[in-house]
Amino acid sequence: MAETKSVIGTKNKKGQTYTDTWKMMNEAPRTPSFFTGSEVIKEALRRASCDVMIAYPITPQSEAAALIGELFAEGYIGDYFRGESEFAVMSQCAGSAFGGARVFTTTAGPGTMRAMENFPMWAGSRLPIQMIVTCRGINSPLSIQPDTLEIAYLLNTGMLVWHAETAQDFFDWILKGYMVSEEPDVHLPLALCCDGFFVTHTKDVVNLTPADMCLPPYDPYRSPVPCMDMECPPVRMMRDPFVMKSNYISYATHASWQQEIWAAVERSRKHSIHWLNGLIDTENTDADVVIVASGTAVSQGREAIRLLEDEGVRCGLVKVKTLRPWPEEEIREATKNAKHIFVPEFNVTGWLAKEIRATIPNPHRVHAGPHVCGGMTMPPEIIVSEIKTALGMKTFSLAGRGS
Amino acid sequence: MSDYRVLPGPEHFLPPAAASMGIRLPNPGEAHINGVITSEDQAYEEAARQFLMAKVPTIFPGPLVLWAWNEKAAKKATAIRHLFNTLKECVQPSQKPMLIPMPDYRPKYPKINPEVEINPNHPNLTIWHNKIDCCIFIGVHCHQANLSLKIIRGGTSCYTIAMCAQAGHEDAMLSFRDASVDKIMRLADTVKRLKGTVQPRLSAKNGASN
């Protein structure tokens, strides 16, 4: 491989010190700061040694994209521009990554769907692009409010998919995400999702690493495929695809290529465990009732557990941090004692409950709900109500709330 | 640990990627044999034994060592030449060591010439044509190596070894990681040390089976 001299300890053009990422994230002093989620994305990017950021406006990620433009003006980002559409943005991200750049972009809702063809292409080309998805409604009638339905569409693209609960998760996982997705045995794009507005437009105290420390730069020579070469796969595949050759071995090659993408998702498991301290977090999983959730539904579940404790109901919690890789064994272990498993979700289809049902023994234990969607909030009381109803306890209707 | 084992094929019409069957890559200082994590010492011994048993032990160097794009690549290429020469010295007359390059990854089907190179998208053609029953990948980009190793496992009975400069390969029957000049030389030394202690297969299956 390439002769690489460590840049750790040297400074970039902005005077930031390239710092060992583990030390930066785990040992460097942190400064509490009161920021919106969008501002937190900007602060993470300030420290990410990012080469290229490509933007296109769509609520609720537009603010973060605009703030990163300020970083470009300040000289922290190598290049920054607006694409013609979300499809163009994701294609341009691919071009930048093929060229050996560390690439970042942000998207949301219908924009994610418009660009969807690119995501399996990114994964198939082993491009470690990081894409922030600030989830919002994607279906008619139009909504700009939080709704996690778009995550369901990303789960089978071959990308890594993580679901942040808080702005603090977001800050840390943007930086750690590059460390996982750029490993040579992984080298896949990462869709780092959050629930739009709840995270992006809410101020919270976030502990930031020092602004004068930054990630080591991306080394494209560690890629599992050759750096950009129009004559070599995967690029050559686009104008000379295997499918054009009607024979067993060409199909087998294409099939093996796809299998290798999912093998890389599997390989990301140990790196994700290392950087995120496990694929899930758990509390009180010896309880009969366990809530399993991802994103801000975890926060609502946590509050519901506090309310239930006041009524003498002990309840456990599983926070799912990574959806791809899917923490199958961890969820099976964490729910082995549960008689009832509740999966609160901000979407209409209940994709997380379906994943869990497909993972654990005795899946009838899973109560797929409560669900809200279209931007509705999820008061902890409706989680409490759902659980109490299932346990045969008396509960009050919340239907008149807000009327 | 997974019960799945990465064994010489032919395994299946479309075998699964070993990583999807729960095979995990070794940590630094380790290797794997058939998907089971072992010490590097064991891996050197087993790799050397497999080479000395094979009727057509073959080295497949890739672009990362074939092209002298930096000093380290050139040194690795020299070490690989030394490994090949050692192999030739240590085998018996009935054995036929080969050195077949994988200089680039451009799709060449149907014009691949298996006499002179291996194509990562059609590696079984080279294996079948030359009746290769044991091979080692060195200096091949990881994704291309995984692709080729899986196709070989699916359609041939060839024993595959991978000496990877990064994290290793689950789809080989034996894999080292963090390949260096020293590791290539150590493999050559082990082959030399085991010379005469291992008998070549008489009627072994060869890579032509499917």
Side-chain angles (χ1 to χ4, degrees), chain B residues 125-155:
Chain B
L125 298 182
T126 300
I127 304 277
W128 287 334
H129 182 87
N130 296 288
K131 302 187 187 318
I132 294 167
D133 57 346
C134 179
C135 68
I136 184 168
F137 279 53
I138 308 180
V140 185
H141 287 84
C142 294
H143 185 75
Q144 266 76 10
N146 283 335
L147 191 73
S148 308
L149 290 164
K150 202 185 75 66
I151 293 171
I152 293 169
R153 183 159 53 84

Side-chain angles (χ1 to χ4, degrees), chain B residues 87-157:
Chain B
L87 199 53
K88 282 198 292 188
E89 287 167 20
C90 294
V91 295
Q92 298 182 13
S94 62
Q95 295 169 280
K96 185 188 170 193
M98 297 187 80
L99 183 65
I100 300 181
M102 196 184 308
D104 62 51
Y105 306 129
R106 280 173 281 190
K108 298 176 192 71
Y109 191 86
K111 299 198 178 191
I112 175 177
N113 183 352
E115 297 276 8
V116 296
E117 66 170 332
I118 175 174
N119 184 305
N121 299 323
H122 312 97
N124 46 348
L125 298 182
T126 300
I127 304 277
W128 287 334
H129 182 87
N130 296 288
K131 302 187 187 318
I132 294 167
D133 57 346
C134 179
C135 68
I136 184 168
F137 279 53
I138 308 180
V140 185
H141 287 84
C142 294
H143 185 75
Q144 266 76 10
N146 283 335
L147 191 73
S148 308
L149 290 164
K150 202 185 75 66
I151 293 171
I152 293 169
R153 183 159 53 84
T156 84
S157 59

